[in-house]
Amino acid sequence: MSSSIPSEWLQQHFNLEEVGPAYHQLYRLICRAILEGKFPAGTRLPSSRDLAGDLGIARNTVLQVYGQLADEGYVRAGVGQGTYVEDISQDLVEPADEASDSSQEPDRRAPLAGTPHGLSRRGRNVMNHLGFSNRQTGAFMPGIPDVREFPLKVWSRIQNRQWRAGPWDLMRYAPAGGYGPLRQAISDYLGSARSVRSTARQVVMTTGIHQGIDVAARLLCDDGDVVWIEEPAYWGIRNLLSSSGLRVVPIRVDDEGICPGAAELAHPPRLIVVAPSHQYPLGMVMSLARRRMLLDYARQVSCWIIEDDYDSEFRYGNRPLPSLQGMDDADRVLYAGSFSKTLFPGLRVGFLVVPDVLANHFANAIAELYREGNMMSHSVLAEFIREGHFGAHIRRVRKRYAERRECLIEEIHRHFGSGLGIVGDRSGLHLVLALPEGVEDAMVVRDALDQKVITRPLSAYYLNRGHARPGLLLGYAGVTPEEIRPAFSALAGVLDHYL
Ligand SMILES: Cc1ncc(COP(=O)(O)O)c(C=O)c1O
């Protein structure tokens, strides 16, 4: 490959406006291109001077990135001889496809060469798959509730009351499992709202679903154990599981949810992570038949299921199905919940509901590993739920989000008629705008960002890019109709170039 091809590709994908140092972005882009085979072994990278000129960044930045890539074994560089991509095929693993035998799958890890800047293979793996964004506001950032709707006055009234009472006990480390009254309030709420069967003892406080899944992976799995995730899935959980040393196997989803084939069922995993109430990001609800199949399977092969119930409170018209946990008679399900979407993400309060036999272990492990606290917020939250403000808040924002969802759908129809499919719009905080096969959704996202419109490419949520469908995730919950309309017009202008 001539060096003009990497240069063109990097110019297309590099975004000077992205938050964070240019160095990190360029490093990630080149790694990704090498790992995904876009820059195969032997490809000559542009000279540092040319690339710096093409991208509008300092030459030193490019030199630094090339130096790191050479340290890590991605490229080889000789003085005056150019920089060439190394052959890393030995160290890479193809993502599993539906028919593959997961027990035969080799280690899914980053290239073996080098130990750059002290990072472990695990650490490099995390860095190579970063999905988080520092952008937290604006149309159409997905997964973000409207924090401006939060009832600050009610919250601060309860908080002031707690502070005045001299909350010395709340200022210490939390007891194992977390603040008792909040565990009880959550258990009561989940019983009526989500058909979750629990006692307060089974509710273990976490800082969110991320931490819940992290601790479950540590306590229930060993290095190299297989974990099934849905394909596509939320990148955060995927990265978390693979950085815990697990072999992450993507299992395709159909209209009824996760759909393992015979070859996959023949090789049981240790853990299955699903979002049955609202698959992320496609948004379908797992059917009752599929729920029963999954529970029967978990009982037969003695594997664990984590039910990620991150935003089930927001549904527009369709009836909620009971939680998977509520249907589980064999104690195989751990229910992971969070207040990130219902209240606000920065609160960092979540919980796990674990089978009774695991309750003490989980409570003790979290106290031991993370030394939890934050009981002031926990005690305010317990009162907030108990006094009925939580239920009232959900009812109020659900109405708001329903109006915003309708506004976005109207805009889509106004611009494109029924030419583009809308997927997963009946619940949650976002919908997916399907794009025709062959459209590079990542390019659309980049061009949209030039117009100050934020979206995420659906293809990025697939581990096996061969199965990826193009589309755009459009979050509507955090933006008003007045913000949605001009932003969608700008996005439509970008899309017109691709359709
Ligand atoms: C599917 C899914 N699960 C879990 C989370 C994160 O949950 P938490 O903020 O509680 O860690 C997210 C965040 O967007 C998500 O999309």
Side-chain angles (χ1 to χ4, degrees):
M1 188 190 260
S2 87
S3 67
S4 64
I5 293 173
S7 175
E8 276 166 24
W9 190 88
L10 289 167
Q11 283 177 62
Q12 278 168 9
H13 290 81
F14 189 80
N15 174 16
L16 263 181
E17 285 186 25
E18 190 170 303
V19 181
Y23 169 85
H24 286 151
Q25 193 193 153
L26 182 60
Y27 168 79
R28 278 210 316 269
L29 273 180
I30 300 181
C31 275
R32 197 181 101 199
I34 295 174
L35 290 166
E36 289 176 1
K38 288 195 175 75
F39 298 173
T43 302
R44 183 176 184 168
L45 296 184
S47 74
S48 55
R49 190 187 307 275
D50 288 350
L51 188 58
D54 291 342
L55 301 182
I57 58 178
R59 185 175 173 209
N60 250 349
T61 305
V62 181
L63 284 171
Q64 228 185 326
V65 170
Y66 281 7
Q68 179 170 348
L69 290 165
D71 284 350
E72 294 175 10
Y74 288 110
V75 301
R76 103 189 88 86
V79 180
Q81 291 168 1
T83 304
Y84 292 87
V85 173
E86 283 281 25
D87 182 2
I88 54 165
S89 54
Q90 300 273 326
D91 305 323
L92 289 174
V93 174
E94 288 297 313
D97 64 33
E98 302 133 45
S100 78
D101 171 352
S102 55
S103 72
Q104 299 302 309
E105 211 198 321
D107 231 0
R108 181 190 306 286
R109 293 189 197 177
L112 290 165
T115 51
H117 304 283
L119 279 191
S120 63
R121 233 180 341 208
R122 225 179 260 214
R124 266 184 294 156
N125 202 6
V126 174
M127 296 309 142
N128 289 339
H129 295 95
L130 295 180
F132 82 95
S133 168
N134 288 325
R135 292 191 188 87
Q136 298 275 316
T137 54
F140 296 101
M141 187 69 201
I144 305 288
D146 194 341
V147 298
R148 297 168 294 191
E149 295 287 334
F150 185 72
L152 281 178
K153 277 197 185 134
V154 177
W155 187 270
S156 55
R157 198 177 61 229
I158 302 173
Q159 186 165 281
N160 289 342
R161 205 163 65 208
Q162 313 273 34
W163 277 111
R164 275 198 302 270
W168 315 123
D169 281 341
L170 300 177
M171 295 165 77
R172 307 186 205 284
Y173 288 121
Y179 180 65
L182 181 56
R183 297 167 78 188
Q184 185 64 57
I186 291 171
S187 174
D188 295 344
Y189 165 74
L190 292 177
S192 60
R194 303 292 302 121
S195 319
V196 169
R197 292 180 290 192
S198 69
T199 59
R201 204 180 102 80
Q202 287 171 261
V203 177
V204 179
M205 297 312 302
T206 64
T207 55
I209 291 175
H210 273 240
Q211 194 192 43
I213 294 183
D214 185 43
V215 75
R218 284 168 192 266
L219 295 192
L220 304 178
C221 302
D222 288 309
D223 271 359
D225 277 350
V226 170
V227 51
W228 286 357
I229 60 166
E230 294 166 311
E231 172 83 320
Y234 170 48
W235 43 263
I237 306 272
R238 197 170 73 195
N239 211 355
L240 192 77
L241 292 165
S242 59
S243 73
S244 300
L246 304 186
R247 284 166 46 199
V248 177
V249 175
I251 305 288
R252 77 182 181 94
V253 295
D254 64 13
D255 290 346
E256 296 188 58
I258 194 166
C259 186
E264 287 152 341
L265 291 167
H267 298 282
R270 178 80 180 143
L271 184 64
I272 303 174
V273 181
V274 282
S277 307
H278 187 225
Q279 203 278 338
Y280 196 87
L282 292 177
M284 78 283 282
V285 176
M286 191 185 290
S287 68
L288 270 177
R290 199 60 62 76
R291 286 169 196 244
R292 292 209 180 92
M293 181 283 286
L294 208 56
L295 289 170
D296 284 349
Y297 179 70
R299 182 170 41 76
Q300 279 163 25
V301 304
S302 295
C303 70
W304 299 104
I305 299 175
I306 295 182
E307 175 173 18
D308 176 356
D309 207 22
Y310 64 103
D311 75 353
S312 63
E313 281 80 1
F314 301 113
R315 49 189 69 253
Y316 313 110
N318 51 350
R319 238 169 6 98
L321 282 176
S323 63
L324 201 57
Q325 194 269 6
M327 298 171 61
D328 173 26
D329 291 324
D331 278 353
R332 304 313 307 170
V333 177
L334 288 81
Y335 175 98
S338 172
F339 292 95
S340 291
K341 314 292 177 192
T342 48
L343 294 180
F344 57 97
L347 184 61
R348 298 320 287 145
V349 178
F351 49 87
L352 277 175
V353 180
V354 300
D356 194 64
V357 286
L358 295 178
N360 268 342
H361 299 313
F362 272 70
N364 290 338
I366 290 177
E368 180 74 16
L369 297 176
Y370 311 108
R371 213 66 195 102
E372 293 295 275
N374 200 21
M375 281 196 291
M376 278 307 292
S377 319
H378 289 191
S379 74
V380 177
L381 180 54
E383 284 303 293
F384 189 81
I385 297 174
R386 213 175 277 295
E387 291 178 2
H389 306 297
F390 181 68
H393 175 65
I394 299 287
R395 285 191 294 279
R396 207 166 50 78
V397 288
R398 189 190 286 133
K399 258 176 82 183
R400 275 273 186 290
Y401 298 166
E403 288 159 12
R404 294 172 182 184
R405 164 190 169 269
E406 253 168 50
C407 171
L408 176 57
I409 292 175
E410 263 171 38
E411 286 301 297
I412 295 171
H413 287 150
R414 196 163 69 77
H415 285 274
F416 298 107
S418 50
L420 296 179
I422 298 174
V423 180
D425 62 305
R426 299 191 65 197
S427 45
L429 307 178
H430 77 277
L431 55 77
V432 175
L433 186 63
L435 296 178
E437 281 305 326
V439 173
E440 265 219 57
D441 53 8
M443 304 273 280
V444 178
V445 168
R446 193 208 53 185
D447 289 356
L449 202 53
D450 287 344
Q451 307 297 318
K452 310 270 180 281
V453 178
I454 307 164
T455 65
R456 285 208 181 239
L458 176 60
S459 61
Y461 292 77
Y462 289 80
L463 197 50
N464 187 336
R465 293 295 168 103
H467 296 164
R469 291 160 53 184
L472 301 177
L473 271 73
L474 303 180
Y476 49 77
V479 270
T480 62
E482 293 69 39
E483 292 164 311
I484 290 174
R485 290 189 194 100
F488 194 80
S489 290
L491 178 61
V494 171
L495 276 168
D496 283 340
H497 291 292
Y498 287 88
L499 299 176

